[in-house]
Amino acid sequence: MCGIVGAVSRRNIVPILVQGLQRLEYRGYDSCGVAVHAASLDAARQGTSGGGLQRARSTARVADLMEQVLADHIEGATGIAHTRWATHGAPVVCNAHPHFSHGPGSDGAGPPGRVALVHNGIIENHEELRAQLQARGYVFTSQTDTEVIAHLVDSHYGGDLFEAVRAAVSELRGAYAIAVLHKDEPHRVVGARAGSPLILGVGQDSSEHFLASDAMALAGVTDQIVYLEEGDLVDLQLGRYWIVGKEGAALSPVQRPVRTVQAFSGAAELGPYRHYMQKEIFEQPRAIADTLAGVQAIVPELFDGPGHDGQPGTAAWRVFKEIDRVLILACGTSYYSGCTAKYWLEDIAGIPTQVEVASEYRYRTSVPDPRTLVVAISQSGETADTLAALRHAQGLGMKHTLTICNVATSAMVRECELAYITRAGVEIGVASTKAFTTQLAGLFLLTLALAQSRGRLTEEQEAAHLKDMRQLPGALQAVLALEPQIIGWAEVFARMENALFLGRGLHYPIALEGALKLKEISYIHAEAYPAGELKHGPLALVTSSMPVVTVAPNDALLEKLKSNLQEVRARGGVLYVLADADTHIESSEGIHVIRMPGHYGALSPILHVVPLQLLAYHTACARGTDVDKPRNLAKSVTVE
C-alpha cells in the first residue's frame, strides 16, 4: 500500500528517495511524489539555511516522477517521498503526497507553506479537525485526510518542528505513519507512527539517516534498521537522531535496538519471467523447501520464533499445554489459508478451530476464552486489520498468540508470543502465490505440533507426514509442468465474464482462493461454492457461458463430487476439472480434464492451488491486464 521514504544528508538525496519509491512499487499505488528542502547542497554541508520547499507529484509511475524531477532540477539534501494508494479523494495530482500547509491568508495557489508532509494510514477525526482549521483560515486544496495533519503541524509550529509534530499527533485519532519537513529547518525530518509501520535507517555515514515504511526501500543504502514502536516519534538531523516513546518527555529519548536487516534487492529482479507473479508461481518449490529447511522433527521450539533467546522449546511447549482451542485471524488470501488449516487442526490435532475475517472480528461481540491460541496470519506482518484484530483478542484476555508470517522483523512477529517464519522471500506481485503455499506449509507444521502435544501423533505418523512434506517441492515441479495445458484453458476463460469454482471439504477453501485469484488480476467475476451447495442456488447460474472449475482430488468425497459434476453437465454447463491421476474422471464433451499427480493426502491443497494460480495468470495475460499491479488493489494493506 502507501510507501514512505525520507532522508537527512549532506548529499543530493533525491535519487535515493526516488529509488526507494521504486523499491516500494510492488505494494501498489495510484500516485507518487517527492518534496525537498531547496537549500543548496553547499549550504547543507555548511549547516546553514536557505531556499524553501520544492516538490513534484505524478499520477503516473515513479519513473515518470523521476523525469519530472530532472526536468525541474529538483535537488536537496533533505527530503521526503511517497507512493499513495487512494483512500480519501480520487487518485489525482492535488491529492498526491507530499502535502504542503497553506496557512491563514493563503489562497492555496501561491508559494508553498511552511510544512511538507507524507502520511500512511487513515485519520478518523479528519472532518472535525478540518472544520477547526478552516475556521482559523487554513486553505485546503485536496480531499485527503492527510492535508489536515500538515495544517495541524503548521498551526502548532513555534520554532521547533519536533514539538509541533508531537502536539499535532496528540490530536489525531486513527492510524498514521508520517514524515515531516519545515522550510525553516532545512536539515531536519521528523517522523511519528501509530498503527502504521515506520522504520529508521541508520546511515553508514553517521551524518545521514533515513525513514521508510519498509526496509526494502533502503536496500543498498543501509542495512542498519531501527523498528519504531507504537507511539514513537523520531527526530532526524545531520549526524544524529533521537526517539521519544509514547510516554517519554521531550528531552528524554528512549533506546530502540539497531538491527542488521538484509533487504535483498536482488529478490525483486524479474529475470527471464514476463511478470513477477509468474516468477513467484515458479519459485514455489524453492519457497516450500526453504520454509521446511531445518525441520528434522515436530518439536515445539519450531514455533518459539526469532524473539526467544532462552532455552529452546520452553515458550511453545508451555503454550501448547495451556490451550484447548484455536482462533485464526486473517484477511484475503491468508484467510483462505486459515480456512484450510481448520480442516487439518480439527481432523489431525482434534482441536476446535474458529476462523475469522480479521476486519470483521473486532467489531462484533464474541465470547473470549483464555485457553485459546490466537493465530494471526499475514504475508507482511503489517496488515492493519489483522494487527487490530490480534490486539483486540489480546485485550479480551486471550494472551496466547502465534503468527504465521513471512517477515521476521514485522510488527506481528514482535507482538505475538510465538511465531513461525515462512521463507517465501520477497513477493512483488499483488496477487499472493508463494506466500499462500508457504503459509499452508507452516500451518500444517503447527497442526502436527499441536497433535503431538495432545498425544494424537505417533512417531510413525510424524515420520510419514514429514516425508510427504519433504517431497512437496518435487511434486510442485510436476504440477508446474502442466502450464501448457492450463494456457489452453486460459484462452477460453479470457473470453468469459463469469466463472464458478467448486470444491469439497479440505479443497473448498482452495476453490475460494482460485476464484479470488481470477477476479483479482483478470477482472472476471468469479465465485466459489462447496460443490454440495450447487442445488441450493448457484445451479441457477450455470449455462454454457459460465465455465465451472472443479477441484477433484481422490479423497473420501470424490463420489459425491462426481454427482455434483453431473448436475452441472445436465444443465449444459462446461466443466474444467483438476483431477488426481487415479480419479477416473475423463475428458469428454463439455468436460475438460487436467490430470494432476497422484493424490497427496492432507497436503493436496498445496498442489491443487498452483494450477488455479496459473489459470488466473494466463487468463489475465490473454486479457492484457496489469498482472502485477491490478487496478484498485495494493500489496500490503496497512490501512483499515
Side-chain angles (χ1 to χ4, degrees), residues 265-382:
S265 59
E269 294 173 359
L270 188 57
Y273 295 95
R274 185 176 174 186
H275 298 95
Y276 284 109
M277 183 179 179
Q278 183 186 30
K279 176 189 177 189
E280 288 153 10
I281 290 171
F282 277 83
E283 285 177 338
Q284 288 176 112
R286 189 274 309 158
I288 290 288
D290 288 351
T291 295
L292 301 177
V295 178
Q296 301 301 320
I298 303 302
V299 289
E301 56 259 39
L302 289 173
F303 299 91
D304 279 353
H308 291 279
D309 299 322
Q311 184 177 355
T314 51
W317 181 87
R318 173 181 50 80
V319 170
F320 290 174
K321 294 296 183 183
E322 292 179 3
I323 60 104
D324 50 29
R325 57 192 310 112
V326 172
L327 168 65
I328 296 176
L329 304 172
C331 299
T333 286
S334 295
Y335 171 74
Y336 295 144
S337 73
C339 291
T340 306
K342 174 183 171 71
Y343 287 90
W344 289 334
L345 287 162
E346 295 196 337
D347 179 32
I348 299 172
I351 187 166
T353 301
Q354 179 180 356
V355 188
E356 293 268 1
V357 174
S359 58
E360 293 291 321
Y361 169 69
R362 71 186 178 114
Y363 292 113
R364 71 174 186 83
T365 302
S366 57
V367 181
D369 182 348
R371 293 185 61 83
T372 297
L373 176 63
V374 179
V375 178
I377 310 173
S378 168
Q379 188 280 138
S380 67
E382 305 288 352

